[in-house]
Amino acid sequence: MGDFFGKEYRSNMEKDLANQEQLISRVVEKVMEQLKYYDRFKIPIGVSNRHVHVSREDLDVLYGKGYELTKKSDLGQPGQFAAEETVTVRGPKGEFKGVRILGPIRPESQVEISLADGFKLGVRAPITESGHLDGTPGLTLIGPKGTVEMPQGTIVALRHIHMTPADAERMGVKDKDIVDVETFGEREGVLGNVLVRVSDKFALEMHVDMDEANACSLKNKDYVVIAKR
Amino acid sequence: MGDFFGKEYRSNMEKDLANQEQLISRVVEKVMEQLKYYDRFKIPIGVSNRHVHVSREDLDVLYGKGYELTKKSDLGQPGQFAAEETVTVRGPKGEFKGVRILGPIRPESQVEISLADGFKLGVRAPITESGHLDGTPGLTLIGPKGTVEMPQGTIVALRHIHMTPADAERMGVKDKDIVDVETFGEREGVLGNVLVRVSDKFALEMHVDMDEANACSLKNKDYVVIAKR
């Protein structure tokens, strides 16, 4: 282009380019920082549909004395599995057939439902931690060999994150902390009151129920992050 | 107590009290500010269960030529009502009986469901605005007098806020803004991607579906606020 552009113009253009390059590398730096932040705090989602944990005694009634659960598939938490076996769960107002049993067996039977399920069954189950069953409503479990009237054990699982001590250290949280979790996508938002559970027997995973998964448009393996509100 | 406490001690105590009073009035001030903030931005919730809007032509088929809907109860938005009339909504994988028709009639029939309902019916309805029906899946509506095969019209309503121009001005938002909304209580959090609709025909109300209501443990008349994230 010869000297069509004057010296001053070219000098300014070079300065502009240098400024632009600086700006771009600052933006890239910021984006990388944010990605690293997300990487450090990101947690895969596990969506829990309604399911049942059974005691030895109740499995004896539902499927026969000494019956052993058959593994259908592994779950996100080590040693936990979805069984081939299902039961009908019946409440005062409705029932669900084919509700999956999760293994292994537990000291006490427990039915985990969503709030929507509770309306259909006709039970007001508290939103609480797994195993906190005192005062919770009962339900009827119907298996191929018999029926169990659970005196208690129906809960809506408090949304929670399983993690290892190494995860907890990396994320700066500890067992029983209550945190906020940021979700992404079409129905992005923040889930508050999320319980952190830390154990070397856990794998990193946040459990939400079907109501929560649908409200946030989340599916298994989607990522969320612990949020600072 | 006579001079049991020395002069210096009492002087310090008085200073402490004065400081404490100052602190308390600052806290009260902050709390009042926050309450005023919430008051300015607070919005009552309206929970939408699955429902149907029908066209004149479709109502003719479902309930008979020239049939008029009977008002069962007013809804939050002026002129809108829940009708006594219901239909069965059937999809490729399942159906819901007794799905309420909302009046008045509209130019085109529309079925509003939750994502959970979509799984049960076997349709993948988009999360979108009311009336945006091009390319949405159809469903079968079954009334006492006849059956309608809807060619399209099934949506999951995009969560949205109805408000008057005065509400919009007070909250500093405008028609078609996308905002975040803070929710409170046991399942507190933030719902992102909330559409603002402004019209002098509206009343202030945020509409969520059953998945969202249950995930946030919200019921009709609960309050939420437009949030700054």
Side-chain angles (χ1 to χ4, degrees), chain B residues 84-162:
Chain B
E84 293 286 354
E85 291 76 12
T86 64
V87 291
T88 293
V89 173
R90 183 176 292 166
K93 282 176 65 178
E95 68 176 31
F96 293 107
K97 290 182 198 297
V99 179
R100 197 154 301 283
I101 298 176
L102 302 193
I105 58 168
R106 292 200 179 180
E108 189 173 355
S109 292
Q110 174 173 314
V111 180
E112 294 183 39
I113 59 174
S114 71
L115 284 180
D117 292 342
F119 291 122
K120 175 144 187 212
L121 293 167
V123 291
R124 289 180 71 98
I127 299 168
T128 189
E129 282 180 66
S130 183
H132 288 204
L133 305 184
D134 284 354
T136 60
L139 280 168
T140 305
L141 305 183
I142 303 161
K145 291 287 171 66
T147 292
V148 170
E149 298 291 345
M150 290 171 62
Q152 63 175 33
T154 310
I155 65 165
V156 176
L158 183 64
R159 49 203 184 205
H160 59 280
I161 305 168
H162 293 279

Coordinates of all heavy atoms in Angstrom, one line a residue, chain B residues 84-162:
Chain B
E84 N -65.1 -25.7 34.9 CA -65.5 -27.0 35.5 C -65.1 -28.1 34.6 O -64.9 -29.2 35.0 CB -67.0 -27.0 35.6 CG -67.6 -26.0 36.6 CD -67.4 -26.4 38.1 OE1 -66.9 -27.5 38.3 OE2 -67.6 -25.6 39.0
E85 N -65.0 -27.8 33.3 CA -64.8 -28.8 32.3 C -63.3 -29.4 32.3 O -62.4 -28.6 32.4 CB -65.1 -28.3 30.9 CG -66.6 -28.1 30.6 CD -67.1 -26.8 31.3 OE1 -66.3 -26.0 31.8 OE2 -68.3 -26.6 31.3
T86 N -63.2 -30.7 32.1 CA -61.8 -31.3 32.0 C -61.8 -32.2 30.8 O -62.9 -32.5 30.2 CB -61.5 -32.1 33.2 OG1 -62.5 -33.2 33.3 CG2 -61.6 -31.3 34.5
V87 N -60.6 -32.6 30.4 CA -60.4 -33.5 29.3 C -59.4 -34.6 29.7 O -58.6 -34.4 30.6 CB -60.0 -32.9 27.9 CG1 -61.1 -32.0 27.4 CG2 -58.7 -32.1 28.2
T88 N -59.4 -35.7 28.9 CA -58.3 -36.6 29.0 C -57.2 -36.2 28.0 O -57.6 -35.9 26.9 CB -58.7 -38.1 28.8 OG1 -59.6 -38.5 29.8 CG2 -57.5 -39.0 28.7
V89 N -55.9 -36.1 28.5 CA -54.8 -35.8 27.6 C -54.0 -37.1 27.4 O -53.5 -37.7 28.3 CB -54.0 -34.7 28.2 CG1 -52.7 -34.5 27.3 CG2 -54.7 -33.4 28.3
R90 N -53.9 -37.5 26.1 CA -53.3 -38.8 25.8 C -52.1 -38.6 24.9 O -52.2 -37.9 23.9 CB -54.3 -39.8 25.1 CG -53.7 -41.2 24.9 CD -54.8 -42.1 24.3 NE -55.8 -42.4 25.3 CZ -56.9 -42.9 25.1 NH1 -57.3 -43.3 23.8 NH2 -57.8 -43.2 26.0
G91 N -51.0 -39.2 25.3 CA -49.8 -39.2 24.4 C -49.4 -40.6 24.0 O -50.1 -41.6 24.4
P92 N -48.3 -40.8 23.3 CA -47.9 -42.1 22.8 C -47.6 -43.1 24.0 O -47.7 -44.3 23.8 CB -46.6 -41.8 22.0 CG -46.3 -40.4 22.0 CD -47.4 -39.7 22.8
K93 N -47.2 -42.6 25.2 CA -46.8 -43.5 26.2 C -47.7 -43.5 27.5 O -47.6 -44.4 28.3 CB -45.4 -43.2 26.7 CG -44.3 -43.7 25.7 CD -42.9 -43.3 26.1 CE -42.5 -43.9 27.5 NZ -41.1 -43.5 27.8
G94 N -48.6 -42.5 27.5 CA -49.5 -42.5 28.7 C -50.5 -41.4 28.6 O -50.5 -40.7 27.6
E95 N -51.3 -41.3 29.6 CA -52.4 -40.3 29.6 C -52.7 -39.7 31.0 O -52.3 -40.3 32.0 CB -53.7 -40.8 29.0 CG -54.3 -41.9 29.9 CD -55.7 -42.4 29.3 OE1 -55.8 -42.4 28.1 OE2 -56.5 -42.8 30.1
F96 N -53.3 -38.6 31.0 CA -53.8 -38.0 32.3 C -55.3 -37.7 32.1 O -55.7 -37.1 31.1 CB -53.1 -36.6 32.6 CG -51.6 -36.8 32.9 CD1 -50.6 -36.4 32.0 CD2 -51.2 -37.3 34.2 CE1 -49.3 -36.5 32.4 CE2 -49.9 -37.4 34.5 CZ -48.9 -37.0 33.6
K97 N -56.0 -38.2 33.0 CA -57.5 -38.0 33.0 C -57.8 -36.7 33.8 O -57.0 -36.3 34.7 CB -58.2 -39.1 33.7 CG -58.2 -40.4 32.8 CD -59.0 -41.5 33.6 CE -58.7 -42.9 33.1 NZ -59.0 -43.1 31.6
G98 N -58.9 -36.1 33.5 CA -59.3 -34.9 34.3 C -58.4 -33.7 34.3 O -58.2 -33.0 35.3
V99 N -57.8 -33.4 33.1 CA -57.0 -32.3 33.0 C -57.9 -31.0 32.8 O -58.7 -31.0 31.8 CB -55.9 -32.4 31.9 CG1 -55.1 -31.2 31.7 CG2 -55.1 -33.7 32.1
R100 N -57.7 -30.0 33.6 CA -58.6 -28.9 33.6 C -58.4 -28.0 32.4 O -57.3 -27.8 31.9 CB -58.4 -28.1 34.9 CG -59.6 -27.1 35.2 CD -59.8 -26.8 36.6 NE -60.0 -28.0 37.5 CZ -61.1 -28.7 37.6 NH1 -62.2 -28.3 36.9 NH2 -61.2 -29.7 38.4
I101 N -59.6 -27.5 31.9 CA -59.5 -26.5 30.8 C -59.5 -25.2 31.5 O -60.3 -24.9 32.4 CB -60.8 -26.6 29.9 CG1 -60.8 -28.0 29.2 CG2 -60.8 -25.5 28.9 CD1 -62.0 -28.3 28.3
L102 N -58.6 -24.3 31.0 CA -58.6 -22.9 31.5 C -59.3 -22.0 30.4 O -59.1 -22.2 29.2 CB -57.2 -22.4 31.8 CG -56.4 -23.2 32.8 CD1 -55.1 -22.4 33.2 CD2 -57.2 -23.6 34.0
G103 N -60.2 -21.1 30.9 CA -60.9 -20.2 30.0 C -60.3 -18.8 30.1 O -59.5 -18.5 31.0
P104 N -60.7 -17.9 29.2 CA -61.6 -18.1 28.0 C -61.0 -18.9 26.9 O -59.8 -19.2 27.0 CB -62.0 -16.7 27.6 CG -60.9 -15.8 28.1 CD -60.2 -16.5 29.3
I105 N -61.8 -19.2 25.9 CA -61.2 -19.9 24.7 C -60.2 -19.1 24.0 O -60.2 -17.8 24.2 CB -62.3 -20.4 23.7 CG1 -63.1 -19.1 23.2 CG2 -63.2 -21.4 24.3 CD1 -64.0 -19.5 22.0
R106 N -59.3 -19.7 23.3 CA -58.2 -19.0 22.6 C -58.2 -19.4 21.1 O -58.9 -20.3 20.7 CB -56.8 -19.5 23.2 CG -56.6 -19.1 24.6 CD -55.1 -19.2 24.9 NE -54.9 -18.8 26.3 CZ -53.7 -18.7 26.9 NH1 -52.6 -19.1 26.2 NH2 -53.5 -18.3 28.1
P107 N -57.4 -18.6 20.3 CA -57.4 -18.9 18.9 C -56.9 -20.3 18.5 O -57.3 -20.9 17.6 CB -56.4 -17.8 18.3 CG -56.4 -16.8 19.4 CD -56.6 -17.4 20.7
E108 N -56.0 -20.8 19.4 CA -55.4 -22.1 19.1 C -55.3 -22.9 20.4 O -55.0 -22.4 21.5 CB -54.0 -22.0 18.5 CG -53.5 -23.3 18.0 CD -52.1 -23.2 17.2 OE1 -51.7 -22.0 17.0 OE2 -51.5 -24.2 16.8
S109 N -55.7 -24.2 20.3 CA -55.6 -25.1 21.6 C -54.1 -25.2 22.0 O -53.2 -25.3 21.1 CB -56.2 -26.4 21.3 OG -57.6 -26.3 21.2
Q110 N -53.9 -25.3 23.3 CA -52.5 -25.4 23.8 C -52.6 -26.3 25.1 O -53.4 -26.1 25.9 CB -52.0 -24.0 24.1 CG -50.7 -23.9 24.8 CD -50.2 -22.5 24.9 OE1 -50.3 -21.7 24.0 NE2 -49.8 -22.1 26.1
V111 N -51.7 -27.3 25.2 CA -51.6 -28.1 26.4 C -50.3 -27.7 27.1 O -49.2 -27.7 26.5 CB -51.5 -29.6 26.1 CG1 -51.4 -30.4 27.3 CG2 -52.8 -30.0 25.3
E112 N -50.4 -27.3 28.4 CA -49.2 -27.0 29.2 C -48.9 -28.0 30.2 O -49.8 -28.3 31.0 CB -49.4 -25.6 29.8 CG -49.5 -24.5 28.8 CD -49.6 -23.1 29.4 OE1 -48.9 -22.8 30.5 OE2 -50.4 -22.3 28.9
I113 N -47.8 -28.6 30.1 CA -47.4 -29.7 31.0 C -46.0 -29.4 31.6 O -45.4 -28.5 31.3 CB -47.3 -31.1 30.2 CG1 -46.2 -31.0 29.1 CG2 -48.6 -31.5 29.6 CD1 -46.0 -32.3 28.3
S114 N -45.6 -30.3 32.6 CA -44.3 -30.2 33.2 C -43.4 -31.2 32.4 O -43.9 -32.0 31.7 CB -44.3 -30.5 34.6 OG -44.6 -31.9 34.8
L115 N -42.1 -31.0 32.6 CA -41.2 -32.0 32.0 C -41.5 -33.4 32.5 O -41.5 -34.4 31.7 CB -39.7 -31.7 32.4 CG -39.1 -30.5 31.6 CD1 -37.6 -30.3 32.0 CD2 -39.1 -30.7 30.1
A116 N -41.8 -33.6 33.8 CA -42.2 -34.9 34.3 C -43.4 -35.4 33.6 O -43.5 -36.6 33.2 CB -42.5 -34.8 35.8
D117 N -44.4 -34.6 33.3 CA -45.6 -35.0 32.6 C -45.2 -35.5 31.2 O -45.8 -36.5 30.7 CB -46.6 -33.9 32.4 CG -47.2 -33.4 33.7 OD1 -47.2 -34.2 34.7 OD2 -47.8 -32.3 33.8
G118 N -44.3 -34.8 30.6 CA -43.8 -35.1 29.2 C -43.3 -36.5 29.2 O -43.5 -37.3 28.2
F119 N -42.5 -36.9 30.2 CA -41.9 -38.3 30.2 C -43.1 -39.3 30.3 O -43.0 -40.3 29.6 CB -41.0 -38.4 31.4 CG -39.7 -37.7 31.3 CD1 -39.4 -36.7 32.3 CD2 -38.9 -37.8 30.2 CE1 -38.2 -36.0 32.1 CE2 -37.7 -37.1 30.1 CZ -37.3 -36.2 31.0
K120 N -44.1 -39.0 31.1 CA -45.2 -40.0 31.3 C -46.0 -40.1 30.0 O -46.4 -41.2 29.6 CB -46.1 -39.5 32.5 CG -47.3 -40.4 32.6 CD -47.7 -40.6 34.0 CE -48.9 -41.7 34.0 NZ -49.9 -41.5 35.0
L121 N -46.2 -38.9 29.3 CA -47.0 -38.9 28.1 C -46.2 -39.5 26.9 O -46.8 -40.0 25.9 CB -47.5 -37.5 27.8 CG -48.5 -36.9 28.7 CD1 -48.7 -35.4 28.5 CD2 -49.9 -37.6 28.6
G122 N -44.9 -39.3 27.0 CA -44.1 -39.7 25.9 C -43.9 -38.7 24.8 O -43.8 -39.0 23.6
V123 N -43.9 -37.4 25.2 CA -43.7 -36.3 24.3 C -42.6 -35.4 24.8 O -42.4 -35.2 26.0 CB -44.9 -35.4 24.0 CG1 -46.0 -36.1 23.3 CG2 -45.5 -34.8 25.4
R124 N -41.7 -34.9 23.9 CA -40.7 -34.0 24.2 C -41.1 -32.6 23.9 O -40.9 -32.1 22.8 CB -39.4 -34.3 23.5 CG -38.7 -35.6 24.0 CD -37.5 -35.9 23.2 NE -36.4 -34.9 23.5 CZ -35.4 -35.2 24.4 NH1 -35.4 -36.4 25.0 NH2 -34.5 -34.3 24.7
A125 N -41.8 -32.0 24.8 CA -42.3 -30.6 24.6 C -41.2 -29.6 25.0 O -40.5 -29.8 25.9 CB -43.5 -30.4 25.5
P126 N -41.1 -28.6 24.1 CA -40.0 -27.6 24.4 C -40.5 -26.7 25.6 O -41.6 -26.5 25.8 CB -40.0 -26.8 23.1 CG -41.3 -26.9 22.5 CD -41.8 -28.3 22.9
I127 N -39.5 -26.1 26.3 CA -39.7 -25.1 27.3 C -39.8 -23.8 26.6 O -38.8 -23.3 26.1 CB -38.6 -25.1 28.3 CG1 -38.4 -26.5 29.0 CG2 -38.8 -24.0 29.4 CD1 -37.1 -26.6 29.8
T128 N -41.0 -23.3 26.5 CA -41.1 -22.1 25.7 C -42.3 -21.2 26.1 O -43.0 -21.6 27.1 CB -41.3 -22.4 24.2 OG1 -41.2 -21.3 23.4 CG2 -42.6 -23.1 23.9
E129 N -42.5 -20.1 25.5 CA -43.5 -19.1 25.8 C -44.9 -19.6 25.3 O -45.0 -20.2 24.3 CB -43.3 -17.8 25.1 CG -42.2 -16.9 25.8 CD -42.1 -15.6 25.0 OE1 -43.0 -14.8 25.0 OE2 -41.0 -15.4 24.5
S130 N -45.9 -19.3 26.1 CA -47.3 -19.5 25.7 C -47.5 -18.9 24.3 O -47.1 -17.8 24.0 CB -48.2 -18.8 26.7 OG -49.5 -19.1 26.4
G131 N -48.2 -19.7 23.4 CA -48.5 -19.2 22.1 C -47.4 -19.5 21.1 O -47.7 -19.4 19.9
H132 N -46.2 -19.9 21.5 CA -45.1 -20.2 20.6 C -45.2 -21.7 20.2 O -44.5 -22.5 20.8 CB -43.7 -19.9 21.2 CG -43.5 -18.4 21.3 ND1 -42.2 -17.9 21.3 CD2 -44.3 -17.4 21.3 CE1 -42.2 -16.6 21.4 NE2 -43.5 -16.2 21.4
L133 N -46.1 -22.0 19.3 CA -46.5 -23.4 19.2 C -46.0 -24.1 17.9 O -46.1 -25.3 17.8 CB -48.1 -23.5 19.2 CG -48.8 -22.9 20.4 CD1 -50.2 -23.2 20.4 CD2 -48.2 -23.5 21.7
D134 N -45.4 -23.3 17.0 CA -44.9 -23.9 15.8 C -43.8 -25.0 16.1 O -42.9 -24.7 16.8 CB -44.2 -22.8 14.9 CG -45.3 -22.0 14.2 OD1 -46.5 -22.3 14.3 OD2 -45.0 -21.0 13.5
G135 N -44.0 -26.1 15.5 CA -43.1 -27.2 15.7 C -43.2 -28.0 17.0 O -42.4 -28.9 17.3
T136 N -44.1 -27.6 17.9 CA -44.3 -28.3 19.1 C -45.1 -29.6 18.9 O -45.9 -29.7 17.9 CB -45.0 -27.5 20.2 OG1 -46.3 -27.1 19.6 CG2 -44.3 -26.2 20.5
P137 N -44.9 -30.6 19.7 CA -45.6 -31.9 19.5 C -47.1 -31.8 19.7 O -47.6 -30.9 20.5 CB -45.0 -32.9 20.5 CG -44.4 -32.0 21.5 CD -44.0 -30.7 20.9
G138 N -47.9 -32.6 19.1 CA -49.3 -32.7 19.3 C -49.7 -33.7 20.4 O -48.8 -34.4 20.9
L139 N -50.9 -33.8 20.8 CA -51.4 -34.8 21.7 C -52.9 -35.0 21.4 O -53.5 -34.3 20.6 CB -51.4 -34.2 23.1 CG -50.0 -34.2 23.9 CD1 -50.1 -33.4 25.1 CD2 -49.6 -35.7 24.2
T140 N -53.5 -36.1 22.0 CA -54.9 -36.3 21.8 C -55.7 -35.8 23.0 O -55.3 -36.1 24.1 CB -55.1 -37.8 21.6 OG1 -54.3 -38.3 20.6 CG2 -56.6 -38.2 21.3
L141 N -56.7 -35.0 22.7 CA -57.6 -34.6 23.7 C -58.9 -35.3 23.6 O -59.5 -35.4 22.5 CB -57.9 -33.1 23.6 CG -56.8 -32.1 23.5 CD1 -57.3 -30.7 23.4 CD2 -55.9 -32.3 24.7
I142 N -59.4 -35.8 24.8 CA -60.6 -36.7 24.7 C -61.7 -36.0 25.6 O -61.5 -35.9 26.9 CB -60.4 -38.1 25.1 CG1 -59.3 -38.7 24.2 CG2 -61.6 -39.0 25.1 CD1 -58.6 -39.9 24.8
G143 N -62.8 -35.6 25.1 CA -63.9 -35.0 25.8 C -65.1 -35.9 25.8 O -65.1 -36.9 25.2
P144 N -66.2 -35.5 26.5 CA -67.4 -36.3 26.6 C -68.1 -36.5 25.2 O -68.8 -37.4 25.0 CB -68.3 -35.6 27.6 CG -67.8 -34.2 27.7 CD -66.3 -34.3 27.3
K145 N -67.8 -35.5 24.3 CA -68.5 -35.6 23.0 C -67.7 -36.0 21.8 O -68.2 -36.2 20.7 CB -69.2 -34.2 22.7 CG -70.4 -33.9 23.6 CD -71.6 -34.7 23.3 CE -72.7 -34.6 24.4 NZ -73.3 -33.2 24.4
G146 N -66.4 -35.9 22.0 CA -65.5 -36.2 20.9 C -64.0 -36.1 21.2 O -63.6 -35.7 22.3
T147 N -63.2 -36.5 20.2 CA -61.8 -36.5 20.4 C -61.1 -35.6 19.3 O -61.5 -35.5 18.2 CB -61.3 -38.0 20.1 OG1 -61.8 -38.8 21.2 CG2 -59.8 -38.1 20.1
V148 N -60.1 -34.9 19.8 CA -59.3 -34.0 19.0 C -57.9 -34.5 18.9 O -57.3 -34.7 19.9 CB -59.3 -32.5 19.5 CG1 -58.3 -31.6 18.8 CG2 -60.7 -31.9 19.5
E149 N -57.4 -34.6 17.6 CA -56.0 -34.9 17.4 C -55.3 -33.6 17.2 O -55.3 -33.0 16.1 CB -55.8 -35.8 16.2 CG -56.4 -37.2 16.4 CD -55.8 -38.1 17.4 OE1 -54.6 -37.8 17.9 OE2 -56.4 -39.1 17.8
M150 N -54.6 -33.0 18.2 CA -53.9 -31.8 18.0 C -52.7 -32.0 17.2 O -51.9 -32.8 17.6 CB -53.5 -31.2 19.4 CG -54.6 -30.7 20.3 SD -54.0 -30.3 21.9 CE -52.8 -29.0 21.5
P151 N -52.5 -31.2 16.1 CA -51.3 -31.4 15.3 C -50.1 -30.8 16.0 O -49.0 -31.3 15.7 CB -51.7 -30.6 14.0 CG -52.7 -29.6 14.4 CD -53.5 -30.2 15.6
Q152 N -50.3 -29.9 16.9 CA -49.2 -29.3 17.6 C -49.8 -28.6 18.8 O -51.0 -28.6 19.0 CB -48.5 -28.2 16.8 CG -49.3 -27.0 16.3 CD -48.5 -26.0 15.6 OE1 -47.5 -26.3 14.9 NE2 -48.9 -24.7 15.7
G153 N -49.0 -28.0 19.7 CA -49.6 -27.2 20.8 C -49.2 -27.7 22.2 O -49.7 -27.2 23.2
T154 N -48.2 -28.6 22.3 CA -47.8 -29.0 23.7 C -46.5 -28.3 24.1 O -45.5 -28.5 23.4 CB -47.6 -30.6 23.7 OG1 -48.7 -31.2 23.1 CG2 -47.4 -31.1 25.1
I155 N -46.6 -27.6 25.2 CA -45.4 -26.9 25.7 C -45.2 -27.1 27.2 O -46.1 -27.5 27.9 CB -45.4 -25.4 25.4 CG1 -46.6 -24.7 26.2 CG2 -45.6 -25.1 23.9 CD1 -46.5 -23.2 26.2
V156 N -43.9 -26.9 27.6 CA -43.6 -26.7 29.0 C -43.5 -25.2 29.1 O -42.6 -24.6 28.5 CB -42.3 -27.5 29.4 CG1 -42.0 -27.1 30.9 CG2 -42.5 -29.0 29.2
A157 N -44.3 -24.6 29.9 CA -44.3 -23.1 29.9 C -43.0 -22.6 30.5 O -42.6 -23.0 31.6 CB -45.5 -22.6 30.7
L158 N -42.4 -21.7 29.8 CA -41.2 -21.0 30.3 C -41.6 -20.2 31.6 O -42.6 -19.5 31.5 CB -40.7 -20.0 29.2 CG -39.4 -19.2 29.5 CD1 -38.2 -20.1 29.6 CD2 -39.2 -18.2 28.4
R159 N -40.8 -20.4 32.6 CA -41.2 -19.7 33.9 C -41.2 -18.2 33.6 O -40.4 -17.7 32.9 CB -40.4 -20.1 35.1 CG -38.9 -20.1 34.8 CD -38.2 -21.0 35.8 NE -36.7 -20.9 35.7 CZ -35.9 -21.9 36.1 NH1 -36.5 -23.0 36.6 NH2 -34.6 -21.8 36.0
H160 N -42.3 -17.5 34.1 CA -42.4 -16.1 33.7 C -43.2 -15.4 34.8 O -43.8 -15.9 35.7 CB -43.2 -16.1 32.4 CG -44.6 -16.7 32.5 ND1 -44.8 -18.1 32.4 CD2 -45.8 -16.2 32.7 CE1 -46.1 -18.3 32.5 NE2 -46.7 -17.2 32.7
I161 N -43.0 -14.1 34.7 CA -43.7 -13.2 35.7 C -44.6 -12.3 34.9 O -44.2 -11.6 33.9 CB -42.7 -12.3 36.4 CG1 -41.6 -13.1 37.1 CG2 -43.4 -11.4 37.4 CD1 -40.4 -12.3 37.6
H162 N -45.9 -12.2 35.3 CA -46.8 -11.2 34.8 C -46.8 -10.0 35.7 O -46.7 -10.1 36.9 CB -48.3 -11.8 34.9 CG -48.5 -12.9 33.9 ND1 -48.8 -12.8 32.6 CD2 -48.6 -14.2 34.2 CE1 -49.0 -13.9 32.1 NE2 -48.9 -14.9 33.0

